[in-house]
Amino acid sequence: QVKLMESGGGSVQPGGSLRLSCVASEYTFSRHCVGWYRQAPGKEREGVAVMNDEGSTSYEDFVKGRFTISRDNNANTLYLQMNGLKPEDTAMYYCAADMKLCTVVAGLLDDTDYTYWGQGTQVTVSS
């Protein structure tokens, strides 16, 4: 049974950094599109960053230059390095896996066809 487990969330001050990790059991992140998504209270879930099977990455504009998605195939782990955190980055962050193609719909990273989702890790940015 495939399971995704996120970790690394926490509370930081604006300008701080966190690195999120997502460990997969019974799944290899290099198979299909994988990604990080987030949901803030009262808001819809939104994309953050995705990586396809070849390692190509895409980011939403609001994290470009600040966040980096990466993976360690040997460790079956997906990462999200977050630098320059802002209060508006506060949200529950989820990793998702196994969408055949990373797609963009209406200019936004699509999230409708992932097979697997983690339980999420909370990120809070405040002074």
Side-chain angles (χ1 to χ4, degrees):
Q1 183 179 2
V2 174
K3 290 186 178 180
L4 305 179
M5 181 66 71
E6 301 98 334
S7 63
S11 296
V12 295
Q13 293 186 340
S17 298
L18 286 172
R19 188 175 80 156
L20 306 184
S21 300
C22 176
V23 179
S25 60
E26 307 295 332
Y27 185 82
T28 303
F29 280 122
S30 58
R31 286 179 59 187
H32 294 308
C33 180
V34 294
W36 287 96
Y37 293 77
R38 69 187 188 185
Q39 187 167 20
K43 295 186 177 182
E44 292 189 357
R45 186 171 61 200
E46 61 184 2
V48 175
V50 298
M51 176 181 284
N52 69 10
D53 57 337
E54 297 178 344
S56 294
T57 59
S58 296
Y59 298 88
E60 290 291 359
D61 287 345
F62 50 77
V63 301
K64 282 182 180 177
R66 299 189 298 126
F67 291 10
T68 303
I69 186 173
S70 63
R71 69 184 182 215
D72 182 335
N73 292 335
N74 291 330
N76 266 1
T77 303
L78 185 70
Y79 299 102
L80 184 69
Q81 177 66 45
M82 305 187 296
N83 299 327
L85 283 162
K86 305 175 181 180
E88 51 264 42
D89 294 319
T90 295
M92 185 73 78
Y93 283 71
Y94 300 90
C95 71
D98 204 46
M99 184 161 69
K100 287 190 176 181
L101 294 173
C102 295
T103 56
V104 175
V105 177
L108 301 175
L109 297 175
D110 187 30
D111 66 354
T112 55
D113 288 331
Y114 285 102
T115 307
Y116 308 111
W117 288 87
Q119 295 298 308
T121 185
Q122 178 68 38
V123 172
T124 302
V125 185
S126 68
S127 54

